[in-house]
Amino acid sequence: MLVIVSVAAIADGDSNGATADVSATAARYDLSALIQPPPTSAIQQQRDSFPSFVDALANKSFTEAEVFAKQMVVQVDVDSIDAAFSRALALHNLASAQHFNGNYISATQNYSDALDIIAREDGNVSPWLILSLRGLAIANLDAGRPDEAILTFDRAQHVSDVNYGPQSLEQLPILNSKMLVYLNYDEPGAALEVLDRIYMLHSRRFARDSEELLPTLHQRAQVYGKLDMRAEERRAWKHILAIKQDHYAENDPALIEPNIKIAQIDIRNLRKIGYRSVTTSAAEKHLKRALRIAENSPEDNWETRKDCLLSIADFYTLFDMKGRARRYYAAAWDLLSSDGMSGVDPTKYFEAPVPLAQPKPDSYANFEHNPNRQNMGPDDYLEGEMTVEFTVDDRGRTDDLRVVEADPPNFLAMENRVRNAVEEFVYRPRYVDGKPAATSNQRYRARYFYLPSDYEAAVAKSDKLGRQRRSENP
């Protein structure tokens, strides 16, 4: 099934709603791909233990997997010709199980022991070092040692270059991991350098219009989206679209995703510059093209059509084109309510307002009341919190805003900033029986940092205004 991310995934302040979070976890770095079976020369008992070890990992029974891994270490035949190599692989698998189990100290030790054995038996640039180096790097990363992780990945890449050549695709898993580290630890420049190297390796091997380039182009689009590099992200999706147009039929569902993604980027740009005359915009054209493909596709995929209808309706809602938005929302409701859709509840998609844009207020109050502001550090700031309650009307706009909680109280300058942000929120409105309806008692909580001097000045100003009003209205 083709999965489409609705325009609803776009929220002001987010670079890409579809972009997955990049985190330093064994799952993210595909630690399971590092598991190594015993050598064929290993005794039968050790080889019989391996499937149980793999099954335990697959079932997330990591403690049990660690037990099987320890058994395989003990089961090494010390008299075999490959005894040292067999022990190294067993230690590597034990380290992987310990890593999955969160025991990073033991994992790094066993990865290191495996590496020492392999280097002693097969040399310092043995290709068998690569997987254990990758495992050790990830364990260092999860143990909070990113610098050591990068150095270990660099060593793995050097071993790969020596054995397979600097232009080989064999180094891609290492490069992908390094890029994730740089992204996770906020080093975008280094991440982009690795991203460019990954693309270069693919582009040297495959033609510009080759389908083989699609995975790396998707990766580029994702990273550019995470870094809010909209022009580069758009070019990547345009390249993806061009390749798919060359290789797929005109109404193939594979063309829907790139059209939606390009539209999302255009919408973010349109909202940023406050442009409203969007009836002939590229965003609208791409959304309509995606919908046309979905409606004319030989595949009867109601979920894809629903997503396309909601995407274009959300687009019109964002730009306050109420009539057009309601027409497409109604079409989505009718689709979900039509004959043959038994078991599908249309209210599931319309039972509550869906945020389409939520521009976030500046999290640092930083008003004008402290002349020594440039010398302030993070410890000089206090944390505040404010909750605003409001109604989402049937156009998807906010109304009846009121501050219901504030800590500290009477911080009018910050209250105005939060209220101004909430006034710009846009939602897909709730629908009841196929009709748009207002929704009250919606809440937004803003957390922020402020200087005591800013708050004191705000309270003093509030008191002054209060006295002035009382004098004017005795």
Side-chain angles (χ1 to χ4, degrees):
M1 179 184 71
L2 184 66
V3 177
I4 299 298
V5 177
S6 167
V7 173
I10 302 175
D12 291 350
D14 292 336
S15 63
N16 192 332
T19 304
D21 180 47
V22 180
S23 57
T25 65
R28 172 65 65 183
Y29 288 85
D30 195 16
L31 191 61
S32 60
L34 305 185
I35 302 305
Q36 304 189 74
T40 54
S41 60
I43 62 172
Q44 188 65 42
Q45 187 181 15
Q46 187 186 29
R47 285 187 282 125
D48 287 345
S49 296
F50 182 71
S52 299
F53 165 71
V54 173
D55 288 344
L57 286 180
N59 294 326
K60 299 183 179 180
S61 301
F62 301 133
T63 300
E64 182 181 356
E66 188 172 345
V67 171
F68 284 119
K70 288 178 179 178
Q71 289 179 357
M72 286 190 288
V73 174
V74 174
Q75 291 164 350
V76 171
D77 183 1
V78 295
D79 295 325
S80 71
I81 190 173
D82 290 329
F85 185 57
S86 181
R87 179 173 175 80
L89 296 185
L91 287 170
H92 171 99
N93 288 336
L94 174 58
S96 298
Q98 291 167 332
H99 189 167
F100 271 119
N101 216 15
N103 189 351
Y104 305 133
I105 295 177
S106 296
T108 53
Q109 182 60 58
N110 283 312
Y111 278 130
S112 298
D113 289 346
L115 288 165
D116 289 343
I117 294 172
I118 295 171
R120 185 171 61 249
E121 295 294 320
D122 203 36
N124 289 324
V125 290
S126 167
W128 289 99
L129 293 168
I130 295 174
L131 287 183
S132 292
L133 286 168
R134 287 172 56 196
L136 177 60
I138 300 167
N140 279 326
L141 189 61
D142 280 349
R145 298 189 290 267
D147 292 341
E148 291 184 38
I150 287 295
L151 290 174
T152 307
F153 278 130
D154 286 343
R155 182 183 169 193
Q157 187 173 344
H158 171 71
V159 174
S160 176
D161 289 348
V162 169
N163 284 277
Y164 306 112
Q167 307 302 330
S168 170
L169 298 184
E170 294 286 339
Q171 65 187 290
L172 287 177
I174 304 168
L175 293 173
N176 286 327
S177 295
K178 286 176 65 176
M179 185 180 68
L180 289 175
V181 177
Y182 288 132
L183 286 172
N184 195 54
Y185 286 89
D186 196 24
E187 296 188 37
L192 289 172
E193 287 183 9
V194 179
L195 182 69
D196 287 343
R197 179 172 176 82
I198 292 171
Y199 179 73
M200 179 271 293
L201 292 174
H202 283 90
S203 61
R204 288 175 65 95
R205 178 165 297 195
F206 307 114
R208 180 173 172 78
D209 60 352
S210 170
E211 286 186 274
E212 301 289 347
L213 278 183
L214 289 176
T216 189
L217 287 171
H218 276 93
Q219 182 184 53
R220 285 168 74 82
Q222 183 186 36
V223 173
Y224 289 144
K226 180 176 179 62
L227 298 177
D228 200 25
M229 299 172 63
R230 296 180 186 176
E232 292 81 0
E233 182 188 8
R234 192 179 194 278
R235 281 197 293 271
W237 281 112
K238 287 286 286 185
H239 193 173
I240 292 169
L241 178 60
I243 292 174
K244 290 189 173 184
Q245 286 174 328
D246 285 343
H247 291 86
Y248 296 90
E250 183 178 359
N251 292 325
D252 195 291
L255 300 177
I256 294 177
E257 183 189 27
N259 275 292
I260 294 286
K261 293 291 189 180
I262 293 168
Q264 289 178 341
I265 299 165
D266 290 341
I267 290 168
R268 290 201 297 275
N269 290 334
L270 288 169
R271 285 186 57 77
K272 185 174 182 179
I273 62 176
Y275 184 60
R276 291 296 184 269
S277 301
V278 295
T279 54
T280 59
S281 71
E284 185 178 30
K285 290 179 180 178
H286 282 290
L287 289 170
K288 286 188 172 181
R289 189 176 301 157
L291 178 59
R292 184 173 64 251
I293 294 170
E295 292 178 335
N296 296 319
S297 170
E299 296 184 16
D300 184 20
N301 191 329
W302 66 268
E303 289 192 90
T304 300
R305 282 183 286 143
K306 176 263 296 177
D307 287 340
C308 289
L309 286 167
L310 291 180
S311 289
I312 195 166
D314 291 342
F315 165 74
Y316 288 131
T317 294
L318 278 167
F319 293 98
D320 206 15
M321 304 172 74
K322 180 178 69 175
R324 298 187 186 192
R326 289 183 176 178
R327 184 163 70 247
Y328 285 99
Y329 284 136
W333 182 280
D334 291 343
L335 169 65
L336 298 170
S337 306
S338 61
D339 295 339
M341 295 293 291
S342 59
V344 177
D345 182 5
T347 62
K348 172 184 176 182
Y349 303 97
F350 294 96
E351 62 186 357
V354 176
L356 305 181
Q358 290 185 318
K360 298 177 182 178
D362 190 341
S363 59
Y364 279 85
N366 274 355
F367 296 103
E368 68 275 10
H369 306 291
N370 194 313
N372 198 31
R373 185 175 312 280
Q374 66 273 14
N375 296 323
M376 296 293 178
D379 293 339
D380 296 311
Y381 286 84
L382 303 177
E383 184 172 355
E385 187 171 284
M386 188 176 301
T387 301
V388 178
E389 192 169 89
F390 55 92
T391 295
V392 176
D393 65 20
D394 62 2
R395 292 168 42 250
R397 264 52 185 177
T398 57
D399 196 10
D400 299 328
L401 278 68
R402 54 206 174 276
V403 175
V404 294
E405 296 176 8
D407 180 21
N410 301 321
F411 199 165
L412 293 184
M414 195 64 205
E415 178 180 323
N416 290 334
R417 178 179 291 181
V418 174
R419 287 173 61 93
N420 290 339
V422 176
E423 285 176 354
E424 295 297 316
F425 287 7
V426 182
Y427 291 80
R428 178 193 302 164
R430 179 172 63 102
Y431 269 63
V432 178
D433 296 329
K435 303 293 183 181
T439 309
S440 59
N441 301 322
Q442 300 298 294
R443 290 195 168 196
Y444 173 77
R445 183 172 62 181
R447 290 177 175 162
Y448 58 92
F449 300 93
Y450 66 96
L451 292 170
S453 57
D454 284 328
Y455 176 60
E456 292 165 3
V459 171
K461 184 176 181 181
S462 175
D463 291 343
K464 181 179 178 181
L465 289 174
R467 289 193 299 270
Q468 180 179 341
R469 292 192 186 100
R470 287 192 294 273
S471 65
E472 293 172 352
N473 301 284

